[in-house]
Amino acid sequence: MSAILTCSHVSMKYDTAHAVRNVSFEVNDGDYLCIVGENGSGKSTLMKVLLGLLKPAGGKVAFHGFKQIQIGYLPQQTPIQQDFPASVFEVVLSGCLSRHPFPFYTRKDRQMAKDNLTRLGADGFMRKSYRDLSGGQQQRVLLARALCATEKLLLLDEPVTGLDPVMANGLCQLLDTLNKQGLTIIMISHDINSAVKYGNKILHMQTKPLFYGATSDYLKSEIGMRMIGGERGA
Amino acid sequence: MVSAVPDMFNELFSYPFVVKALIVGTLVALCAALLGVSLVLKRYSMIGDGLSHVGFGTLAIAMSLDLAPLEVSIPLVLAAAFLLLRLSENSKIKGDAAIAVISSSALATGVIIISMTTGMNADVCNYMFGTILAMKDSDLYLSVGVSVVVLILYAIFYNKIFTVTFDEGFAKATGTKTAIYNILIAFLTALVIVIGMRMMGAMLISALIIFPPLSAMRFFKSFKSVVICSAVLSVVCFFIGIVFSFQLNTPAGASVVVINLMAFLLFSVLSYIKKKV
Ligand SMILES: Nc1ncnc2c1ncn2[C@@H]1O[C@H](COP(=O)(O)OP(=O)(O)O)[C@@H](O)[C@H]1O
Ligand SMILES: [Mg+2]
């Protein structure tokens, strides 16, 4: 097992209040790390630090064998995007821009965009407008774009939030398949049950890490049992 | 009646000032529409509006000091573009309120300067609502030069502009220097506003940035088709507006804006009908 990403003692502040405090973890090739925690517990902030969108106030993020900009990223959806006039193909293709220094697309890029849409079973709406798609279809398109940007590591911020259960389940299985094909995944999830079902590692955040380790250990831990029990009880 | 239309165009093109105005106006309409797509989609329309008000203030300064308007306006409006962009990116200090404060302050300062120096005369009305008479040869060359630069940069960085407009977070995470492209968009907008301001009028130039993209978005569904439709529509509306203005002796900018409004209403009705069928 070789680490491809190490995050050591990372902290992040907005103004004076800590959003992330002293988080350390390691991601190996082929891992599926799920980050869980309540709203406002610093999950998105941590992910933005991993992506280099925010500079950590302390600590260090290191990548082994690839560059930070070669991460595929699926952001938390914003309302602005949902009615954006763009074709699906335009959106997916934009994932290829990071592959070369010049701002134009090559024939290889176009092929790659098509292949990734096909891989996700989304080639049927390639010519459609992004804003005419359902929430689940939009997520698939953004996932195809992320796949164009990476061969190694995918970061997803609450990809299934807001989807109906059937759509959510479909997307989870798609991610599971991608993971089994060799892609490393870090996913922020609201759904603790699917996090422990698919992830091999769990990071439970509440500004600072409450738990970090293998999923099997999480299920045996006090906090893990409380979370799963609480969900079942609810 | 049949020969009336060619006659009208012959008459129109026989005036050198009209030809100059048409050249500059077409280029400005084109550039404004292209940049407008990103500004509208990024919710930066207020920047365009703010810049045109600042532009008015700088014109007033130039007029009172008897300096060349474009040479004074360009650096000042570029500086304002930088400031307004920073303000609208910074949600903490209520970016839109800050922009409104700056733009009304610039306008008020301009009006005070003018009334203390030249007085509120026909020139001021022209500055506010547009005239096609103002174009000097030096303005023509500068305007054409600036427009060509804007068009070339837009064409080169089109794909980058798309990704920065659609999803800034993703663009930045995958290595696009988003801050540079945001500044590029703001600076190009500032240039277009300055060169288009006197023909369209300081109060009305921002309509040229906002109307064509809004109309295009009603109907078209890919970014490329919105950009192309917006550009074509803007040029067509400009042309009709100028002919209108020339025939009826109405202010140029106001005429172009009214034509743009009609196009917007037409596109809205069409898209409504299309949805129903
Ligand atoms: N841009 C920002 N400016 C100031 N505070 C922020 C900003 N983004 C997030 N926060 C704060 O940081 C904390 C963590 O937010 P976030 O990382 O988005 O949490 P999560 O994704 O786990 O819901 C929250 O208290 C939130 O209010
Ligand atoms: Mg979040």
Side-chain angles (χ1 to χ4, degrees), chain B residues 231-250:
Chain B
V232 171
L233 187 67
S234 180
V235 170
V236 169
C237 287
F238 173 77
F239 234 80
I240 298 174
I242 289 298
V243 171
F244 196 107
S245 143
F246 192 73
Q247 290 294 310
L248 301 179
N249 212 6
T250 49

Side-chain angles (χ1 to χ4, degrees), chain A residues 14-15 18-19 37-46 48 76 157-158 188:
Chain A
Y14 292 110
D15 299 321
H18 269 98
E38 286 168 26
N39 263 336
S41 57
K43 306 181 297 294
S44 296
T45 303
L46 175 64
K48 284 178 187 160
Q76 216 164 349
D157 195 343
E158 302 200 15
I188 295 176

Side-chain angles (χ1 to χ4, degrees), chain A residues 90 98 103 129 131-132 145, chain B residues 159 167 174 220-221 223-224:
Chain A
E90 284 176 319
S98 61
S129 180
R131 66 179 173 193
D132 293 341
R145 176 185 65 166
Chain B
N159 291 325
D167 189 344
T174 50
F220 287 92
K221 296 184 162 190
F223 190 75
K224 195 188 258 171

